[in-house]
Amino acid sequence: MANYDQERLHQIRLGASADMSIDQGLRSYMLSVYNYMAGALALTGLVAYFAYSAAGEMTADGFMVTAFGDAIYNSPLRWAVMLAPLAFILVLSFGVHKLSLAATQMIFWTFASVMGLSLSSIFLVFTGESITTTFFVTAAAFGSLSLYGYTTKRDLSGMGSFLFMGLIGIIIAMVVNLFLGSSALQFAISVLGVLIFAGLTAYDTQRIKGMYYEGDSVAAAGKKAVMGALSLYLDFINMFMFLLQFLGSQRN
């Protein structure tokens, strides 16, 4: 009987040790995801601001552009700047299994830089103060939603298809509104956009958490962390852009 109790206690200790190992590994993995995401946001913000600064300056007569500003805002090159981030996303999404960890990281950081170049035009439309305020509001909302997705015991997987269909609907509505120019439709798109990306933040956090596997190699775990960071980065950026429609103060 004593031998049985000792064996049982030994098994419990082994199980507890394994759980602690998994918890530590999961925390390290999620920290890596958030570090990649935070680094990408910082890089995007810096590139956006310095690109805007290099593009010209605000004067009493309006925004006076430099040759660089004319190239990225007025010439056909602007389409390449706008569409380049999508190309990087496609490469990462469909080619990540064939890429090395170093190549995956390089593409991720390049994507964040090009995204900053693409987003630099928001400084032409909105004041710097309102952009800063909206960023911190987005950060607070994102942090709360991501924490919920990480800690909740509720299975959020059922939200995925619903949110994806809503995202497709928003994209279609945005394309339609390019021709209609309806302020009411734009308002509705912005409201739905905030709600959908709020839901995606919680859903993606739980999904990324579920991707963790203790037996992954360093390269596999690293690439999972980068792809998880990409998902959360896109959730943050899109939530920020839709909130900016409400909270942003436009330049006169």
Side-chain angles (χ1 to χ4, degrees):
M1 184 67 178
N3 290 337
Y4 173 79
D5 290 341
Q6 289 179 356
E7 181 63 25
R8 180 60 179 163
L9 180 60
H10 180 63
Q11 291 176 354
I12 292 173
R13 286 173 175 171
L14 287 176
S17 177
D19 289 342
M20 289 178 63
S21 176
I22 291 173
D23 287 344
Q24 291 172 357
L26 178 59
R27 283 194 291 269
S28 178
Y29 162 74
M30 292 302 295
L31 182 61
S32 179
V33 171
Y34 287 121
N35 283 341
Y36 274 122
M37 177 203 158
L41 287 174
L43 181 58
T44 296
L46 288 172
V47 171
Y49 180 76
F50 284 114
Y52 161 73
S53 299
E57 61 179 352
M58 296 300 301
T59 68
D61 299 322
F63 186 73
M64 305 300 292
V65 297
T66 62
F68 174 74
D70 190 59
I72 64 173
Y73 297 139
N74 299 322
S75 76
L77 181 61
R78 74 182 187 276
W79 294 106
V81 172
M82 291 171 58
L83 297 176
L86 178 60
F88 284 104
I89 292 173
L90 293 175
V91 170
L92 283 173
S93 299
F94 294 103
V96 66
H97 297 296
K98 299 179 181 179
L99 296 170
S100 67
L101 175 57
T104 302
Q105 292 169 329
M106 182 190 68
I107 294 173
F108 176 74
W109 296 122
T110 305
F111 158 75
S113 301
V114 175
M115 194 71 177
L117 194 62
S118 178
L119 292 179
S120 64
S121 60
I122 65 173
F123 289 97
L124 298 176
V125 180
F126 301 98
T127 63
E129 292 80 4
S130 65
I131 291 173
T132 302
T133 300
T134 304
F135 175 84
F136 284 111
V137 170
T138 306
F142 177 90
S144 300
L145 291 162
S146 189
L147 180 62
Y148 171 76
Y150 183 79
T151 58
T152 185
K153 302 299 182 182
R154 180 185 174 187
D155 183 7
L156 303 179
S157 58
M159 297 172 53
S161 57
F162 173 77
L163 292 170
F164 180 75
M165 291 179 65
L167 181 57
I168 296 299
I170 283 182
I171 293 173
I172 294 173
M174 291 174 69
V175 172
V176 170
N177 204 39
L178 288 175
F179 300 97
L180 297 180
S182 169
S183 58
L185 180 56
Q186 181 59 49
F187 179 80
I189 290 171
S190 298
V191 171
L192 290 174
V194 170
L195 294 176
I196 286 174
F197 283 101
L200 280 172
T201 297
Y203 165 79
D204 281 334
T205 300
Q206 188 178 80
R207 178 180 59 82
I208 293 164
K209 179 182 176 182
M211 288 167 55
Y212 172 74
Y213 173 59
E214 188 181 10
D216 277 335
S217 65
V218 173
K223 288 194 284 186
K224 281 184 178 181
V226 171
M227 295 307 294
L230 176 63
S231 295
L232 294 181
Y233 170 93
L234 291 172
D235 292 339
F236 187 102
I237 289 293
N238 282 287
M239 193 190 307
F240 167 77
M241 293 300 293
F242 283 119
L243 279 173
L244 196 58
Q245 302 302 315
F246 298 110
L247 304 178
S249 298
Q250 295 193 7
R251 295 183 182 275
N252 295 328

